[in-house]
Amino acid sequence: MATRRGEELMSENGIIRAEALVVKLVGLLLGLGLIAMVLVNVANAMGRYTGWFSLVGADELLVYGMIWIVMLGAILAARNRDHLSVNLLPAAMNGRLGAVIQLFVDIATVAVSIFIAWHSFVFIERISALNQTSMGLGIPMVIPHSAILVGFIGIAAVTAFLTLVDIFRFTASKGAAQ
Amino acid sequence: QSTMKLASATINDVQHEWQKEFQKEIEARVGEELKIEIYPASQLGAIPRMSEGVLLGTIEAFTTPTSFVTNVDPRFQAFDVPGMFKNADEVDAVIHDKDFRDYLETLFLDKGVRIVGAIFNSPTQMLTREPVTTIEGMNGLKVRTFASPLQMKPMEAVGVTPTPLALSEVIPQLQAGGIDGMLAGIPILSAFKFYDTAKHVTNINMNQIVSVTLVNEAWFQSQSDEVKTAIIEAGRAAETTVFPWGVDNVERAEKVWLDNGGEVHMLPEDQQKELQATFAKAADDVIADQPEVIEVKDRIEAKLEEVRAK
Amino acid sequence: MTWVLGLSVAALIALGAPIFVALLSAAALALLFFPGPPLIALQQTIFGGLDAYALLSVPFFVFAGELMAISGIADRLINLVRALFGRVPGSLGIAALGGSTLIGTICGSSAAAVAAVGRNMYPQLIENGYGRTRAAGIITSSGAIDIVIPPSIAMILYGASAEQSIAKLFIAGIIPGIVMALLMAGYISISALLARIPREESFRARVAWQAFKQAFWALTMPAFVMVGIYAGLFSPTEAGGFACAYAAFIGMVIYRTVSFRSLLEAAVSSAMMTARIMIVVAAAGVISWVLTVEGVPQALIAATADAGLSPLGFLLCVNLLLLAIGCVLDPTSAILVLSPLLVPIAVSLGIDPIHFGIVMTVNLAIGMFTPPFGLNIFVAQSVLGIRTSEIYRGVLPFIGVQVSALALITLVPALSLWLLHGMS
Ligand code: NA
Ligand code: NA
């Protein structure tokens, strides 16, 4: 018995550590992405000012980079539950009511994210069938548009995961109280 | 009863005028059967969003210069070839020729869009901070262009450094001298009061801008036969009405430019010819490896020769 | 239609849902219950809300603000202000206001200014006895000045959709921006005096000189950015990127306070901040779009036009309308939708369209921090880590101050137009 419990803990820890590692890596990717954007921005302006070189499509690269950073960052923010929100009400409540409200908010988040992701998927499917490319870089428009799809799938997934963990804890604590 | 949202990036110009005429013509034909809603000035989103919108049917129609939809179909470039049309009358004679217009209407059906309006917009001119009166004067200037080879290569051929730049950055950069000028039609330059920032326009007549109205074909096909016919007829009727309006509009815009302290310069005649030849050669190089563009361009030029022969 | 949107947004926001979830739920419900455009338009409008070059100033200035904090640039600038003006009541609050105004001259985005100034000034304000509410109020409301002082994204959009000269709008915004800043400064100073917030000792030249020497490199940063913009080296949006690069240079090479590791950490947290701000911007864009295609603003404005108002009556009406709209919409989309509709009426009543543009911009700037919905409020809450209710309370007096500024700017067109006439 003792060893099985230990194994469970180990694998749980393994998952937690793996998840923490992924979160950290995505965070690093976003940071490096932002630094790269600063460099492209500076190079583009310098090239234009001196007239030495012209980075055609730099503006698109910067904006599409920003869109990807925003959507991946939004997944991490959902994971950390620190999206911008108004924290008026929940503070006044705690315990069971607070948990119920949190559950309701999480379900709304998952539902709306899946809804958006689905229509985003339909959109992307159709835009890819039309072979749309961007004006400056000439890359398929599927690449920047996919950021929205990935972002909302990710938000739905991490929120669903957090909700399940919450429900599990809630029932566990209720069980312990009885 | 269905609704047709007509979007465009500009307001109070020939595109907007065509949309208003189109609305009247539709009302006269089918009354309440089809409700037209006009959304000028990018109210439904930036240009790339409007062109995606009409492709996917989130908006029913989009009126735009052909140069903004070359990513929808490269064949739109055929209308932007510098040095091809000499003036507004040539544009009128080609795009409103019955045969050509029929050909144009269905040319992009494989992309899911139908052309229901084709109008002369204005010639592309060059705005600069300092006066430019010769080809040599263009040498080394940084001029804002679209990120499109058909604008960039011809400008490079006359010594200009083409500088694509987001529209929101143009005025501050012009003010500060980060760029020396930009390419645009004079109706745009006057409407946005660019004379407050840079005074000089050189009439390089690089190309004659053609604006088209794209309609989502799936939506079009879902309409009754009566409405379909009305859309096609109304589009062509509106074209005829607004052509003289558009030509006058260019003159009005030039007068506004001069009245507000702006100046308009012409190159000497021989240099203007040389400029057109240089542009045309550079443009030919750009589309050399795009047979589908050349095919449409040949079609336009065949019609042009017919017109010029008369 | 409007009620469905309003109620579902309000309910979800009140329950503490992420703002973007509340906004997108409302948009989704509206599109499901009032069928209009196909639902794939959701993807298009979310993407469209983010796909704008001028929005790059948000990540760049947030990052620049973070770098100013970790490199010590901000501390040295604040110390200099204290050495020079510490005796003036409310000097530190005015320094925060001054910081926002200074960022306003190089940046056109209000949320970025709140993030940058909040990150740098809030701890100092708390340490010096301002209290959380007051400090949050100052930071949240002073960010709004950024879109009135040129360059301004809101004015560029107004110019484009109302066919007005952006160059003239920029010039016309200078005095109104200064008026707003001065009224704010006056209020901060008087209220600090009344609240007996401790002052520094009297001015001493030697201390000031020391602080100046300490702050010399830090001072070159705003100078570098201003000179770069006005010399044409970079555009106002690109200025944000240069501000990051220059702050990183000072931090890593001159002060040696920033390591590559801390630079990367700053980048990560700035990227996260950007994500949290911009997803709200995108979702708000969806709401504006839904309202536009359903004809809501058009109907509101038609009602205003039919009322047969005098020019002054019209302006006051527009102010009320925009302040109300500013409570729920973000200014960029509001300007795009409303100005083509309002400007023709204004012009027909003999109101100068440049003056009108400034009135609209100031209105919507105030809307950035009026409860319940205001991007500056959410950004401040996130950067300062305090309760929304405290920010709501903090901004209340400043709404009063800035509405007075708005009244002044509305009633005295010369404030907007004088510099322009001086020019021609
Ligand atoms: Na500004
Ligand atoms: Na507000």
Side-chain angles (χ1 to χ4, degrees):
Chain A
M1 272 316 257
T3 47
R4 236 188 95 190
R5 174 111 185 93
E7 273 168 20
E8 263 174 25
L9 272 178
M10 289 259 293
S11 75
E12 201 176 279
N13 273 340
I15 292 172
I16 289 170
R17 257 185 281 144
E19 200 252 13
L21 186 67
V22 171
V23 167
K24 194 169 163 78
L25 284 180
V26 174
L28 277 180
L29 181 72
L30 298 187
L32 289 171
L34 182 55
I35 292 172
M37 278 170 61
V38 168
L39 296 176
V40 169
N41 173 78
V42 168
N44 183 38
M46 299 286 265
R48 183 180 66 234
Y49 186 74
T50 56
W52 289 345
F53 56 94
S54 161
L55 301 177
V56 176
D59 51 345
E60 276 182 3
L61 186 68
L62 288 171
V63 173
Y64 295 163
M66 172 177 73
I67 294 175
W68 269 100
I69 285 180
V70 168
M71 294 317 297
L72 293 180
I75 302 177
L76 293 191
R79 152 78 178 61
N80 300 331
R81 286 202 206 275
D82 67 352
H83 267 292
L84 299 183
S85 65
V86 171
N87 45 11
L88 284 173
L89 221 143
M93 355 199 123
N94 37 32
R96 193 164 300 178
L97 186 55
V100 170
I101 288 177
Q102 182 65 54
L103 186 65
F104 174 74
V105 164
D106 283 348
I107 290 173
T109 306
V110 172
V112 81
S113 302
I114 291 175
F115 183 80
I116 304 275
W118 170 247
H119 293 290
S120 171
F121 174 73
V122 176
F123 179 97
I124 288 168
E125 211 182 12
R126 289 170 63 180
I127 204 97
S128 91
L130 289 165
N131 290 324
Q132 282 292 288
T133 53
S134 75
M135 278 285 187
L137 291 171
I139 57 166
M141 283 308 287
V142 171
I143 295 174
H145 271 296
S146 298
I148 313 292
L149 176 62
V150 170
F152 280 99
I153 288 178
I155 291 169
V158 298
T159 310
F161 176 72
L162 290 177
T163 312
L164 289 177
V165 170
D166 277 358
I167 291 175
F168 176 73
R169 278 201 196 128
F170 189 63
T171 48
S173 75
K174 230 168 97 181
Q178 271 166 6
Chain B
Q1 193 223 8
S2 61
T3 304
M4 184 179 186
K5 293 191 288 296
L6 285 171
S8 76
T10 48
I11 189 167
N12 300 331
D13 65 339
V14 67
Q15 300 188 140
H16 192 199
E17 192 66 18
W18 179 89
Q19 294 184 333
K20 288 188 281 190
E21 281 299 321
F22 178 77
Q23 184 175 33
K24 279 187 215 154
E25 297 282 349
I26 287 287
E27 262 167 29
R29 283 175 172 79
V30 292
E32 295 286 287
E33 192 91 1
L34 179 63
K35 192 174 156 224
I36 305 291
E37 291 177 356
I38 298 178
Y39 295 91
S42 295
Q43 285 180 14
L44 294 186
I47 288 166
R49 299 293 84 67
M50 290 189 278
S51 70
E52 281 170 4
V54 74
L55 281 173
L56 301 185
T58 57
I59 54 176
E60 287 76 28
F62 172 35
T63 307
T64 175
T66 48
S67 55
F68 291 138
V69 280
T70 54
N71 61 335
V72 169
D73 191 316
R75 288 174 294 174
F76 278 111
Q77 291 176 95
F79 298 87
D80 302 327
V81 170
M84 187 172 62
F85 295 115
K86 297 278 172 284
N87 53 42
D89 288 330
E90 286 195 356
V91 175
D92 177 45
V94 173
I95 64 174
H96 298 144
D97 169 85
K98 174 82 175 59
D99 286 343
F100 189 85
R101 186 62 178 74
D102 289 345
Y103 162 75
L104 176 62
E105 176 167 329
T106 54
L107 186 56
F108 303 101
L109 280 190
D110 60 334
K111 291 288 153 59
V113 288
R114 176 181 292 265
I115 304 291
V116 302
I119 46 181
F120 162 73
N121 188 318
S122 56
T124 300
Q125 313 295 21
M126 187 171 71
L127 170 79
T128 49
R129 286 156 53 93
E130 302 296 330
V132 172
T133 52
T134 60
I135 294 182
E136 296 75 59
M138 299 181 191
N139 199 28
L141 292 184
K142 280 179 259 180
V143 175
R144 189 257 180 178
T145 64
F146 301 137
S148 122
L150 266 188
Q151 281 207 335
M152 296 179 69
K153 294 291 172 193
M155 290 313 277
E156 270 172 19
V158 291
V160 166
T161 308
T163 313
L165 193 66
L167 187 60
S168 59
E169 315 300 303
V170 170
I171 292 232
Q173 277 280 290
L174 256 181
Q175 274 178 329
I179 54 174
D180 302 300
M182 76 182 287
L183 294 182
I186 200 145
I188 292 286
L189 294 176
S190 285
F192 291 117
K193 303 183 171 56
F194 269 95
Y195 40 70
D196 291 333
T197 311
K199 291 223 169 310
H200 302 279
V201 167
T202 306
N203 276 351
I204 57 172
N205 288 313
M206 185 169 177
N207 63 328
Q208 307 290 326
I209 302 166
V210 175
S211 285
V212 288
T213 299
L214 288 65
V215 167
N216 180 280
E217 176 66 5
W219 174 84
F220 178 82
Q221 288 303 339
S222 73
Q223 303 303 303
S224 69
D225 287 343
E226 191 198 358
V227 168
K228 281 189 222 168
T229 313
I231 291 173
I232 291 173
E233 288 178 1
R236 297 192 184 200
E239 281 169 25
T240 319
T241 325
V242 302
F243 174 71
W245 191 95
V247 174
D248 290 348
N249 189 45
V250 174
E251 277 171 30
R252 276 193 298 274
E254 194 161 288
K255 186 168 180 309
V256 168
W257 186 262
L258 296 171
D259 288 349
N260 284 279
E263 291 177 33
V264 176
H265 309 284
M266 309 287 269
L267 300 182
E269 205 160 312
D270 56 326
Q271 287 215 355
Q272 180 62 31
K273 279 217 179 85
E274 187 192 329
L275 188 70
Q276 294 296 320
T278 313
F279 283 163
K281 186 171 175 315
D284 279 344
D285 290 346
V286 170
I287 59 170
D289 59 346
Q290 303 182 65
E292 76 279 20
V293 179
I294 294 176
E295 194 189 319
V296 179
K297 179 180 172 246
D298 287 348
R299 202 73 201 229
I300 297 172
E301 285 186 330
K303 196 51 83 182
L304 266 176
E305 271 165 34
E306 225 175 87
V307 170
R308 284 174 188 152
K310 278 181 196 166
Chain C
M1 162 68 215
T2 320
W3 293 114
V4 173
L5 279 178
L7 282 178
S8 43
V9 171
L12 277 165
I13 289 183
L15 289 176
I19 310 291
F20 82 93
V21 170
L23 294 172
L24 290 177
S25 308
L29 286 177
L31 288 174
L32 285 174
F33 286 123
F34 303 91
L39 289 165
I40 51 169
L42 283 169
Q43 153 78 22
Q44 220 187 324
T45 41
I46 293 172
F47 185 82
L50 298 172
D51 182 18
Y53 189 77
L55 283 178
L56 282 167
S57 52
V58 175
F60 286 159
F61 278 102
V62 167
F63 191 21
E66 194 71 24
L67 288 170
M68 284 175 76
I70 63 167
S71 61
I73 293 177
D75 283 345
R76 293 172 198 238
L77 288 175
I78 294 165
N79 283 339
L80 178 62
V81 171
R82 290 168 68 172
L84 291 173
F85 307 110
R87 191 69 193 145
V88 178
S91 59
L92 209 57
I94 295 173
L97 170 72
S100 284
T101 312
L102 193 64
I103 291 181
T105 61
I106 54 179
C107 164
S109 152
S110 169
V114 172
V117 173
R119 172 77 173 76
N120 288 298
M121 292 296 298
Y122 183 71
Q124 297 264 357
L125 287 168
I126 296 299
E127 206 173 284
N128 286 272
Y130 277 73
R132 291 211 296 266
T133 315
R134 185 189 308 268
I138 293 171
I139 288 165
T140 312
S141 57
S142 62
I145 296 177
D146 276 43
I147 63 172
V148 181
I149 293 214
S152 154
I153 299 173
M155 284 180 198
I156 291 174
L157 294 175
Y158 176 85
S161 57
E163 296 205 322
Q164 294 306 315
S165 157
I166 295 163
K168 279 191 175 166
L169 283 164
F170 278 4
I171 294 169
I174 294 173
I175 295 182
I178 294 174
V179 166
M180 288 169 84
L182 286 178
L183 284 181
M184 293 267 296
Y187 174 80
I188 292 171
S189 188
I190 290 168
S191 70
L193 194 65
L194 293 177
R196 296 174 193 281
I197 288 170
R199 286 187 256 169
E200 316 259 331
E201 50 207 78
S202 315
F203 176 80
R204 291 216 313 268
R206 213 167 53 86
V207 177
W209 175 240
Q210 277 299 326
F212 174 78
K213 277 200 299 193
Q214 286 276 313
F216 175 76
W217 281 101
L219 278 171
T220 62
M221 183 184 158
F224 166 76
V225 174
M226 299 273 272
V227 169
I229 289 180
Y230 293 103
L233 172 57
F234 40 75
S235 72
T237 304
E238 289 164 340
F242 278 84
C244 295
Y246 196 74
F249 167 76
I250 293 181
M252 295 176 97
V253 178
I254 312 252
Y255 292 161
R256 296 176 182 276
T257 41
V258 178
S259 63
F260 183 75
R261 196 194 166 85
S262 57
L263 177 83
L264 189 57
E265 275 165 10
V268 172
S269 67
S270 305
M272 291 300 299
M273 187 71 220
T274 302
R276 300 203 301 263
I277 295 174
M278 302 270 291
I279 195 140
V280 175
V281 171
V286 177
I287 293 281
S288 308
W289 178 83
V290 169
L291 289 173
T292 308
V293 294
E294 303 281 358
V296 175
Q298 293 90 329
L300 273 177
I301 284 164
T304 316
D306 289 344
L309 297 162
S310 67
L312 193 61
F314 171 76
L315 278 174
L316 291 179
C317 227
V318 166
N319 278 340
L320 291 177
L321 181 75
L322 291 179
L323 285 175
I325 287 176
C327 288
V328 290
L329 278 190
D330 72 309
T332 44
S333 26
I335 281 184
L336 271 180
V337 173
L338 298 176
S339 45
L341 304 166
L342 283 173
V343 172
I345 310 175
V347 170
S348 72
L349 289 170
I351 299 166
D352 185 292
I354 296 283
H355 175 223
F356 190 69
I358 301 301
V359 170
M360 272 191 87
T361 308
V362 174
N363 256 301
L364 294 163
I366 296 173
M368 301 286 290
F369 68 93
T370 46
F373 186 91
L375 193 56
N376 290 8
I377 296 177
F378 305 136
V379 171
Q381 174 203 319
S382 170
V383 173
L384 314 182
I386 62 173
R387 310 207 61 75
T388 316
S389 52
E390 288 173 309
I391 298 186
Y392 283 179
R393 260 184 292 139
V395 295
L396 279 182
F398 293 101
I399 295 175
V401 174
Q402 294 213 6
V403 168
S404 320
L406 170 64
L408 209 59
I409 292 161
T410 306
L411 294 174
V412 190
L415 290 176
S416 312
L417 302 176
W418 184 72
L419 278 182
L420 285 173
H421 295 316
M423 247 187 9
S424 56

